[in-house]
């Protein structure tokens, strides 16, 4: 046992000594002093040796903690001074000078830290290092990539290292190497490779290499095309779900009740501000449960907008049923009042709503397709709100009363239905759903007094296109307009896309005035 302890101690001393002596004083000095090219060459030389002492030294250089004096490099942390090569305590000479790191050298130092992680025993660390080195791959690191590939056992990381090697070789002065790199890069599915190929095509002068690069670019484009198409589809559906949420409340107030509510956008804004208020309360009083603030904000945003909607209906709109133009003017005035109230209470500037941790980030489906968690959550939320609204209108007593009053108010009153109360409930329901839309929108954009102005026109277009009073039509119209907007934006830009969508709706309404789904039977009257 004593002999075993002696052997272990000797082995430890050898390892420690090797680690300490692996970075020589000359290497430490050359990395910190001289021209940028010389410093980078010295750095790559030590990185290739996978020197364990290099990591701490590079971190000190990046933190501006290295000084030079008397042909030596020193690391200065507070009052502690050590020799950069040996790590031994030292005395800093009076004439010591700071090391200046130009941006190029600083980028190489950061790349060196990632390069050292290529030899980590942890697979996740090695994979992360490969990703960080994509933008720093050059011929100076070829030997490093080859050494890492020889010792790598994971097939995925070996393939990624091969791509790094090809990325470095694509700018080689040797034509054969550039051709080989172009052929190897044809197997890549990374968006960064596409940008690299475009850049090299512009700089390449050799016709044969240029043709090979173009073939590789076409192959990579074909591989990335599916990700771009699926990304376009997802953003279109995501926009459609937001339009659907914004229009669902209007489908009740306008579609069922015949009220042209120009303050619908401000009801959306109130829901967003309610979410912001709940976030601040959680941040100050329940910081440990901050990630749950959205769950509390959902019912409160509904309640805040519903109460404002009920107050609007009882004070103004109840006197204007059957006169849609008067409701338009009255609610437009209310929208201006609500916006000014918000500006007076919370200021004219946008307020920040932070995503909880479980809504931050996204899921990587393809190399060029990431689905954000907040957008996925809004899709699910829109589906739940739609389901809840359909069940409420179609399966509950309140829904029966709402449908009865909107279809034949006098007959509903004759059989004992309190039509005034049903009107208030229905309008408050539509306003509350607008508040839910505001809660969802707060997770994907800025919250400000003008938030609702960007959705009021789109909401009316969705309701009119889908068919007044038709929830199913609202769903089809919302998702369809979202997809159409995104497809046309990619083709003609955002402004022309809006104009083209509006022209399409005008032409569609000319041919089919009742929208996608027309009312039938007595309801049509």
């Amino acid at each position: 046992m004593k002999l075993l302890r002696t052997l272990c101690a000797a082995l430890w001393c050898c390892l420690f000594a090797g680690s300490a002596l692996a970075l020589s004083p000359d290497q430490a000095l050359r990395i910190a002093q001289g021209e940028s090219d010389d410093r980078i060459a010295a750095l790559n030389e030590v990185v290739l040796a996978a020197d364990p002492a290099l990591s701490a030294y590079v971190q000190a250089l990046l933190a501006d903690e290295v000084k030079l004096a008397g042909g030596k490099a020193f690391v200065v942390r507070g009052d502690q001074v050590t020799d950069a090569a040996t790590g031994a305590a030292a005395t800093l000479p009076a004439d010591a000078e700071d090391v200046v790191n130009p941006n190029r050298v600083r980028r190489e130092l950061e790349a060196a830290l990632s390069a050292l992680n290529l030899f980590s025993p942890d697979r996740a660390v090695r994979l992360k290092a490969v990703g960080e080195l994509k933008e720093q791959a050059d011929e100076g690191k070829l030997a490093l990539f080859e050494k890492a590939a020889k010792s790598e056992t994971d097939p995925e990381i070996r393939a990624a290292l091969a791509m790094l090697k090809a990325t470095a070789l694509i700018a080689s002065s040797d034509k054969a190497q550039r051709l080989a790199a172009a052929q190897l890069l044809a197997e890549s599915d990374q968006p960064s490779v596409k940008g690299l190929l475009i850049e090299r095509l512009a700089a390449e002068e050799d016709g044969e290499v240029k043709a090979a690069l173009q073939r590789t670019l076409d192959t990579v484009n074909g591989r990335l095309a599916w990700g771009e198409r699926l990304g376009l589809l997802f953003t279109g559906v995501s926009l459609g779900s937001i339009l659907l949420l914004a229009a669902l409340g209007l489908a009740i107030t306008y579609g069922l009740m015949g009220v042209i509510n120009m303050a619908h956008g401000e009801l959306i804004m109130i829901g967003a501000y309610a979410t912001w208020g709940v976030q601040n309360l959680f941040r100050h009083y329940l910081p440990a449960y901050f990630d749950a603030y959205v769950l509390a904000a959902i019912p409160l945003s509904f309640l805040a907008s519903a109460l404002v909607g009920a107050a609007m209906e009882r004070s103004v709109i109840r006197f204007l049923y059957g006169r849609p133009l008067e409701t338009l003017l009255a609610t437009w005035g209310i929208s201006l009042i609500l916006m000014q109230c918000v500006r007076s209470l919370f200021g004219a500037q946008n307020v920040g709503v932070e995503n909880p941790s479980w809504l931050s980030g996204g899921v990587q489906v393809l190399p060029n397709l990431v689905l954000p968690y907040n957008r996925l959550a809004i899709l699910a939320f829109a589906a739940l709100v739609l389901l809840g609204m359909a069940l409420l209108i179609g399966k509950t007593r309140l829904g029966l009363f709402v449908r009865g009053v909107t279809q034949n108010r006098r007959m509903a009153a004759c059989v004992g239905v309190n039509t005034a109360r049903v009107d208030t409930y229905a309008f408050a329901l539509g306003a509350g759903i607008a508040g839910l839309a505001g809660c969802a929108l707060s997770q994907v954009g800025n919250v400000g007094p003008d938030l609702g102005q960007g959705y009021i026109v789109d909401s009316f277009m969705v309701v009119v296109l889908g068919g007044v009073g038709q929830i199913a039509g609202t769903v089809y119209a919302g998702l369809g307009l979202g997809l159409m907007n995104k497809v046309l934006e990619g083709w003609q830009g955002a402004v022309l896309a809006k104009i083209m969508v509006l022209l399409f709706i005008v032409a569609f309404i000319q041919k089919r005035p009742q929208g996608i789904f027309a009312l039938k039977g007595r309801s049509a009257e």
Side-chain angles (χ1 to χ4, degrees), residues 136-157:
Q136 301 290 337
D138 54 41
E139 284 190 277
K141 296 183 179 64
L142 279 174
L144 173 69
F145 298 153
E146 290 173 353
K147 180 178 180 179
K150 287 179 182 178
S151 61
E152 184 57 61
T153 57
D154 186 278
E156 181 183 355
I157 300 179

Side-chain angles (χ1 to χ4, degrees), residues 149-380:
K150 287 179 182 178
S151 61
E152 184 57 61
T153 57
D154 186 278
E156 181 183 355
I157 300 179
R158 282 179 67 89
L161 286 169
M163 287 296 108
L164 282 180
K165 182 180 176 182
T167 302
L169 285 174
I170 200 69
S172 172
S173 56
D174 188 342
K175 174 182 175 180
Q177 287 186 330
R178 297 203 303 276
L179 286 171
Q183 185 176 1
L184 187 57
L185 286 174
E187 302 174 7
S188 174
D189 58 358
Q190 298 296 326
S192 58
V193 171
K194 177 180 176 179
L196 174 67
L197 290 169
I198 293 173
E199 180 182 345
R200 288 307 307 163
L201 266 172
E204 184 59 57
E205 296 179 355
D206 188 279
E208 184 181 356
V209 178
K210 199 162 190 174
L213 289 173
Q214 186 60 57
R215 288 194 299 270
T216 299
L217 179 59
D218 293 339
T219 303
V220 172
N221 277 334
R223 195 171 286 118
L224 293 175
W226 276 109
E228 293 171 358
R229 294 189 193 106
L230 291 175
L232 181 64
L233 178 64
F234 177 76
T235 53
V237 173
S238 176
L239 176 60
S241 67
I242 291 174
L243 291 178
L244 176 61
L245 275 174
L248 273 177
L250 202 62
I252 295 177
T253 57
Y254 176 56
L256 293 179
M257 302 180 69
V259 175
I260 303 178
N261 183 14
M262 295 301 294
H264 184 76
E266 281 57 54
L267 295 172
I268 295 175
M269 172 198 67
I270 289 170
Y273 269 98
T275 304
W276 170 74
V278 172
Q279 169 202 255
N280 289 342
L281 289 175
F282 269 73
R283 178 176 286 130
H284 285 94
Y285 299 108
L286 295 170
Y289 301 97
F290 180 79
D291 283 347
Y293 86 85
V294 172
L295 302 179
I298 289 173
L300 288 176
S301 60
F302 177 90
L303 185 61
S305 294
L307 289 175
V308 173
M312 287 171 54
E313 197 279 335
R314 295 304 295 171
S315 60
V316 176
I317 295 172
R318 62 180 298 192
F319 305 107
L320 302 175
Y321 286 119
R323 291 181 286 174
L325 291 180
E326 277 100 344
T327 62
L328 184 151
L329 292 173
T331 54
W332 179 61
I334 293 173
S335 73
L336 297 178
I337 293 172
L338 291 176
M339 281 193 290
Q340 189 55 48
C341 287
V342 168
R343 288 193 182 96
S344 300
L345 289 173
F346 306 112
Q349 300 299 319
N350 292 338
V351 296
V353 177
E354 183 181 340
N355 289 131
S357 60
W358 53 277
L359 286 181
S360 301
V363 55
Q364 182 93 34
V365 179
L366 294 171
N368 61 332
L369 177 59
V370 177
L371 306 184
Y373 290 133
N374 56 355
R375 295 279 181 172
L376 291 171
I378 288 178
L379 282 173

Side-chain angles (χ1 to χ4, degrees), residues 414-431:
C414 289
V415 297
V417 176
N418 188 333
T419 57
R421 182 180 299 173
V422 170
D423 288 336
T424 303
Y425 287 162
F427 199 89
L429 174 63

